[in-house]
Amino acid sequence: IHGGEKNGAFSVVLSGGYEGDVDEGHTFTYTGSGGRDLSGNKRTAPQSSDQQLRGGNRALAVNIWRSLPMRVVRGYKLKSEFAPSCGYRYDGLYRVKDMWPEMGESGFVIWRYRMERIEGQEGAPWEAQGWKGKEDEVLAGLREEQGDAPLIPKGTGTLLPTQRAKKAKAAKGEPKPA
């Protein structure tokens, strides 16, 4: 959850990190943050305490109270037919429509949020015919072009370290290697 208690949530990433998240494409149920011991540089851990209505959880509540939209990104680790097969994908603007506390599968209180995709924006990526195949083609092209380097599409403003070094040399007027 990116945002804060004062201004609300600007975005969330669906990556399958919490128990019981349900993704139906245009709507999904999202579990709030907190209640897990992530010490020791852990990326995920089981629920070990109640989630509190503060921080990112309160930011989502502010979105309801002020009717604020937020961006949704789906990740490849999400166990959903709507998730990309690799990497992360922006899926549009959503509104937080409802929130409630409930007892989670692990016996601790978790905050749930029901999100709905806002109508009138460009179609959802998964609605295009053959979207998975097209996505896989693009990824295969990037792998062929970049080898084992991170899959970063050209034009995103992100350079690989070798590209950054070449650009710096060119800016200094050094000749390109033959």
Side-chain angles (χ1 to χ4, degrees):
I1 303 168
H2 174 69
E5 295 181 12
K6 182 178 178 182
N7 296 316
F10 303 111
S11 62
V12 296
V13 176
L14 303 179
S15 59
Y18 281 92
E19 58 190 44
D21 287 348
V22 177
D23 184 10
E24 297 174 326
H26 285 275
T27 64
F28 61 89
T29 303
Y30 185 81
T31 303
S33 62
R36 302 187 306 174
D37 178 13
L38 299 177
S39 61
N41 202 23
K42 295 177 197 161
R43 303 294 284 179
T44 62
Q47 208 64 36
S48 56
S49 64
D50 293 343
Q51 291 183 348
Q52 304 297 314
L53 188 58
R54 62 177 182 236
N57 295 340
R58 189 159 182 99
L60 291 170
V62 169
N63 282 47
I64 291 177
W65 302 330
R66 296 185 184 159
S67 192
L68 298 172
M70 69 177 174
R71 293 166 180 83
V72 170
V73 174
R74 280 186 173 81
Y76 69 100
K77 291 182 181 180
L78 181 65
K79 291 171 180 51
S80 165
E81 65 184 285
F82 306 102
S85 54
C86 183
Y88 293 84
R89 181 189 64 221
Y90 171 70
D91 278 353
L93 294 171
Y94 284 69
R95 287 202 193 281
V96 185
K97 300 301 279 188
D98 196 9
M99 62 180 274
W100 64 96
E102 69 179 52
M103 191 64 65
E105 295 170 14
S106 57
F108 296 100
V109 173
I110 56 175
W111 281 93
R112 296 277 199 200
Y113 303 86
R114 186 174 58 81
M115 319 288 199
E116 286 184 8
R117 194 167 198 275
I118 296 173
E119 291 184 22
Q121 56 187 317
E122 188 176 310
W126 62 85
E127 292 175 333
Q129 188 170 355
W131 73 274
K132 276 268 194 205
K134 289 177 188 172
E135 193 173 84
D136 290 341
E137 274 181 47
V138 169
L139 290 170
L142 284 170
R143 283 190 190 99
E144 186 175 311
E145 181 181 298
Q146 298 180 16
D148 290 335
L151 296 177
I152 303 169
K154 285 184 179 179
T156 60
T158 307
L159 298 176
L160 298 173
T162 54
Q163 293 170 320
R164 205 174 295 118
K166 287 178 189 176
K167 192 171 184 176
K169 283 182 182 180
K172 291 179 184 177
E174 296 178 25
K176 292 183 181 179

